[in-house]
């Protein structure tokens, strides 16, 4: 569920085309054959072995030839077959961009130094200009992202200009939104480069997309975009904050407050306006900006899902009482893991209501700082129940998940509704080891005053060697109601994250025999 900011690549494009064809089983046979043949022809124009680096010219030729092949096939093609072509091209382009960036790193690092005060623009040397001209033939341009950094990217209308109206409505809307946003730099130097009003509009646009296409394979990406814009709209970024002081919740910038009031007045019936309204209400009652941010994040996280009813912290139950109730168990747990000492700490406390009862979940970190690599940390999950005027521990799971290297225990990710009577308590972990970067989510299910393992899933798997990133896969997951069934389905959206986030496959895992049988391909931690 978390955005990990890792980027990657499927090992081979031939496998990707086979995967895409398998996902297209609902098409008529003719369209199925047409899309498969078209994607295969586009893919066959140039291939490379995993880990192989081609010249910039070869990658440019590969992009140009693929685009030409697609242009020839698009007239009269079905929307589903066009999706196969889009994914095939995007996979190759993402791979090519990463490799070209490695090839051209020398002048990219110096690009900002080519700026001419006299001409008021970047004036690169002839050799660099020739390369830039070559890249332009493939729709690639240098793009300054602030702090002296320049990256290579496809021009904003790279896909919309090629595919026009050939793709399904959700793809067209998604690509158009991204193209419009990418015409200007969003943020740089830890600050927003667009007005706060523009950030609010972006959040509103993505809300509209999510509501229009709730079952789209693109919805997980859309929700990540929405979350980022919504939080940036209300809190800004480090160098463009909406508060004059992070330590003073009364320091909301007057211009920002006026913008938020105007937004609520204009868009009062939208979900985003509801978040803004909550922000304006809680800014007068919360004690800190960080506390307000947590309230808003919880609201955003549940905005498009069935809600976990979160509660305010009661005055009579907190860290001190939790320590007392957990001590009888922790007194029996060895303070060492092998020869090394375990360092334990209380990480998070969250209160919620389920089936009319008031509960508290407390998550503890456990780390072995001297334990080295690989994973030498973990999380413990506890649940307490209010019984009249007292509280009691009703369930706990030691080593419930998470984990990391060198004593990193992972972190608490939040609560999620797993069914009408089940709450999921999420903990996450990750390691980076010998070129591999892996992250995962572990979910404990709580119902009937019991904790059980619901599922675990690898959320990202990337490998980066001396030649750059060689692979990167992501798995984003959501819970979805399953008709009238009590327990929800697990929806997994997986794909490539080499240079962007490219969804390739949507998998539905039903609740069956007391749990979720997550396929093995979503469990590989690559180490």
């Amino acid at each position: 569920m978390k955005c990990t900011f890792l980027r990657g690549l499927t090992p081979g494009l031939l496998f990707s085309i086979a995967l895409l064809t398998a996902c297209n089983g609902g098409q008529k046979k003719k369209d199925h054959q047409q899309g498969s043949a078209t994607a295969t022809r586009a893919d066959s124009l140039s291939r490379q072995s995993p880990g192989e680096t081609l010249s910039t010219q070869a990658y440019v030729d590969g992009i140009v030839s693929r685009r030409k092949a697609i242009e020839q096939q698009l007239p009269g093609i079905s929307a589903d077959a066009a999706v196969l072509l889009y994914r095939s091209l995007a996979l190759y382009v993402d791979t090519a961009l990463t490799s070209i960036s490695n090839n051209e790193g020398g002048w990219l690092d110096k690009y900002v130094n080519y700026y001419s005060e006299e001409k008021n623009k970047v004036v690169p040397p002839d050799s660099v200009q020739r390369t830039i001209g070559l890249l332009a033939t493939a729709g690639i341009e240098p793009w300054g992202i602030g702090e002296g950094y320049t990256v290579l990217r496809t021009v904003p209308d790279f896909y919309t200009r090629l595919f026009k109206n050939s793709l399904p409505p959700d793809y067209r809307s998604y690509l158009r939104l991204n193209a419009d946003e990418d015409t200007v730099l969003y943020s740089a130097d830890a600050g927003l480069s667009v007005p706060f009003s523009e950030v609010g509009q972006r959040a509103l646009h993505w809300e509209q997309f999510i509501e229009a296409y709730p079952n789209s394979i693109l919805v997980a990406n859309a929700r990540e975009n929405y979350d980022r814009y919504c939080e940036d709209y209300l809190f800004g970024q480090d160098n463009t904050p909406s508060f004059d002081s992070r330590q003073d919740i009364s320091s909301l910038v007057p211009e920002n407050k006026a913008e938020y009031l105007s937004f609520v007045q204009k868009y009062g019936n939208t979900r985003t306006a509801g978040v803004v309204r909550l922000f304006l209400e809680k800014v007068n009652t919360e004690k800190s900006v960080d506390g307000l941010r947590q309230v808003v994040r919880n609201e955003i996280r549940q905005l498009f899902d069935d809600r976990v009813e979160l509660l305010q912290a009661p005055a009579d139950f907190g860290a001190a009482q939790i320590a007392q109730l957990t001590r009888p168990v922790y007194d029996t747990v060895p303070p060492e893991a092998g020869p090394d000492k375990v360092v334990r700490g209380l990480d998070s406390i969250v209160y919620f209501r389920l089936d009319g009862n008031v509960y508290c979940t407390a998550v503890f970190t456990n780390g072995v700082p001297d334990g080295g690599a690989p994973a030498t940390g973990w999380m413990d999950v506890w649940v307490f129940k209010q019984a009249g005027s007292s509280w009691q521990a009703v369930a706990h799971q030691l080593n419930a998940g998470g984990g990391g290297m060198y004593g990193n225990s992972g972190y608490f990710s939040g609560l999620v509704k797993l069914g009408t009577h089940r709450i999921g308590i999420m903990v996450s972990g990750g390691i980076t080891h010998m070129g591999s970067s892996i992250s995962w989510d572990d979910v404990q299910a709580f119902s009937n005053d019991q904790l059980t393992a619901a599922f675990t899933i690898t959320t990202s798997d990337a490998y980066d060697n001396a030649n750059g990133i060689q692979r990167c896969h992501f798995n984003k997951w959501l819970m979805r109601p399953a008709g009238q069934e009590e327990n929800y389905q697990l929806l997994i959206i997986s794909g490539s994250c080499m240079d962007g986030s490219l969804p390739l496959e949507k998998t539905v895992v039903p609740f069956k025999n007391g749990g979720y049988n997550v396929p093995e391909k979503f469990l590989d931690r690559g180490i």
Side-chain angles (χ1 to χ4, degrees):
M1 298 263 307
K2 283 193 174 286
C3 180
T4 59
F5 302 105
L6 291 174
R7 305 197 175 256
L9 149 84
T10 48
L13 291 176
L14 187 60
F15 167 77
S16 301
I17 298 303
L19 172 65
L20 297 173
T21 303
C23 295
N24 201 35
Q27 263 192 85
K28 292 180 180 179
K29 185 175 181 181
K30 180 179 179 181
D31 288 341
H32 179 84
Q33 291 173 338
Q34 179 188 27
S36 299
T38 302
T40 301
R41 281 197 293 272
D43 181 59
S44 66
L45 291 171
S46 62
R47 294 193 182 100
Q48 67 185 95
S49 301
E52 179 186 357
T53 300
L54 305 180
S55 68
T56 295
Q57 180 71 62
Y59 285 116
V60 167
D61 291 345
I63 294 173
V64 171
S65 58
R66 278 170 164 74
R67 292 185 66 181
K68 288 181 178 178
I70 289 173
E71 285 176 343
Q72 294 172 1
Q73 296 299 317
L74 282 177
I77 201 171
S78 72
D80 288 339
V83 168
L84 292 179
L85 291 176
Y86 162 72
R87 291 174 177 171
S88 174
L89 177 63
L91 274 171
Y92 183 78
V93 170
D94 285 353
T95 304
L97 268 175
T98 300
S99 297
I100 293 172
S101 297
N102 290 333
N103 291 345
E104 307 301 331
W107 65 264
L108 282 172
D109 291 342
K110 303 173 185 176
Y111 190 75
V112 69
N113 298 326
Y114 300 145
Y115 183 80
S116 169
E117 295 285 352
E118 179 182 353
K119 297 184 178 181
N120 195 31
K121 65 178 183 179
V122 173
V123 182
D126 290 344
S127 60
V128 173
Q129 188 58 56
R130 284 193 294 271
T131 300
I132 293 174
L134 171 67
L135 296 175
T137 64
I140 298 172
E141 65 178 0
W143 181 246
I145 58 173
E147 297 185 340
Y149 291 103
T150 303
V151 298
L152 294 177
R153 68 166 191 171
T154 53
V155 294
D157 64 350
F158 182 89
Y159 293 106
T160 55
R161 181 158 39 91
L162 174 62
F163 286 93
K164 298 183 176 66
N165 294 320
S166 299
L167 293 164
D170 58 334
Y171 275 85
R172 295 202 305 269
S173 178
Y174 178 84
L175 291 173
R176 173 49 59 192
L177 278 174
N178 280 296
D180 291 344
E181 292 177 355
D182 287 345
T183 57
V184 297
L185 185 64
Y186 174 68
S187 67
D189 302 331
L192 294 172
S193 300
V194 299
F196 275 90
S197 58
E198 171 63 22
V199 182
Q201 289 299 309
R202 291 189 180 199
L204 196 61
H205 293 157
W206 285 110
E207 174 188 336
Q208 293 165 349
F209 178 92
I210 295 165
E211 290 184 335
Y213 308 107
N215 297 316
S216 171
I217 195 173
L218 303 165
V219 74
N221 283 7
R223 287 181 57 160
E224 289 177 356
N225 291 341
Y226 177 82
D227 292 358
R228 174 173 59 126
Y229 289 136
C230 204
E231 185 166 340
D232 281 355
Y233 179 52
L234 295 174
F235 294 94
Q237 295 183 357
D238 287 349
N239 290 332
T240 53
S242 56
F243 290 85
D244 282 330
S245 171
R246 285 191 60 181
Q247 282 69 46
D248 183 3
I249 197 170
S250 67
S251 67
L252 179 63
V253 176
E255 291 82 358
N256 286 69
K257 183 175 181 179
E259 161 63 27
Y260 304 148
L261 290 170
S262 175
F263 187 96
V264 170
Q265 185 176 12
K266 291 178 181 177
Y267 310 109
N269 294 326
T270 65
R271 297 176 196 253
T272 307
V275 176
V276 177
R277 196 177 293 113
L278 175 68
F279 172 92
L280 291 170
E281 173 191 333
K282 295 297 183 179
V283 77
N284 296 315
T285 59
E286 288 294 319
K287 297 179 180 179
S288 68
V289 175
D290 287 342
L292 175 62
R293 186 188 294 271
Q294 189 58 53
V295 169
V296 171
R297 280 179 176 170
N298 288 335
E299 180 68 13
I300 294 171
R301 183 184 295 123
Q302 300 193 94
L303 204 58
F304 302 98
D305 295 324
D306 286 356
R307 291 174 175 268
V308 176
E309 186 180 356
L310 301 176
L311 305 173
Q312 294 288 333
D316 64 338
F317 191 74
Q321 291 77 20
I322 289 171
Q324 291 178 350
L325 291 176
T326 57
R327 185 173 297 122
V329 172
Y330 280 136
D331 281 348
T332 67
V333 175
E336 295 90 15
D340 301 308
K341 182 178 180 180
V342 175
V343 177
R344 180 179 300 113
L346 178 57
D347 177 73
S348 302
I349 306 174
V350 178
Y351 303 85
F352 63 95
R353 192 188 312 275
L354 179 64
D355 293 338
N357 298 307
V358 175
Y359 293 97
C360 167
T361 183
V363 182
F364 285 81
T365 60
N366 298 267
V368 185
D370 297 326
T376 52
W378 62 92
M379 310 290 287
D380 298 336
V381 172
W382 290 75
V383 181
F384 309 91
K385 182 178 182 180
Q386 187 179 47
S389 60
S390 63
W391 288 77
Q392 60 186 16
V394 293
H396 69 272
Q397 181 62 57
L398 305 184
N399 206 343
M405 296 171 59
Y406 307 112
N408 185 350
S409 59
Y411 54 90
F412 169 68
S413 302
L415 305 181
V416 62
K417 202 79 175 287
L418 299 182
T420 54
H421 304 287
R422 283 162 55 90
I423 298 294
I425 303 171
M426 302 178 289
V427 294
S428 303
I431 61 176
T432 300
H433 185 59
M434 298 184 69
S436 292
S437 297
I438 316 295
S439 62
W440 58 83
D441 288 341
D442 298 307
V443 181
Q444 293 284 324
F446 178 73
S447 63
N448 297 320
D449 289 355
Q450 294 182 335
L451 275 172
T452 57
F455 59 87
T456 184
I457 182 171
T458 299
T459 52
S460 66
D461 175 3
Y463 178 68
D464 189 349
N465 65 11
N467 295 322
I469 295 177
Q470 301 302 306
R471 73 163 187 272
C472 181
H473 308 285
F474 70 77
N475 302 310
K476 303 173 184 180
W477 59 272
L478 304 165
M479 303 306 301
R480 286 285 186 262
Q484 300 302 312
E485 295 182 18
E486 178 178 316
N487 296 292
Y488 297 169
Q489 295 174 334
L490 169 63
L491 172 64
I492 303 174
I493 298 173
S494 56
S496 167
C497 42
M498 185 64 164
D499 184 69
S501 181
L502 178 64
L504 296 173
E505 181 184 17
K506 184 167 65 174
T507 302
V508 176
V509 182
F511 182 86
K512 189 175 181 180
N513 298 325
Y516 298 92
N517 185 20
V518 176
E520 285 291 329
K521 62 183 177 181
F522 301 127
L523 303 176
D524 181 14
R525 296 189 175 178
I527 299 294

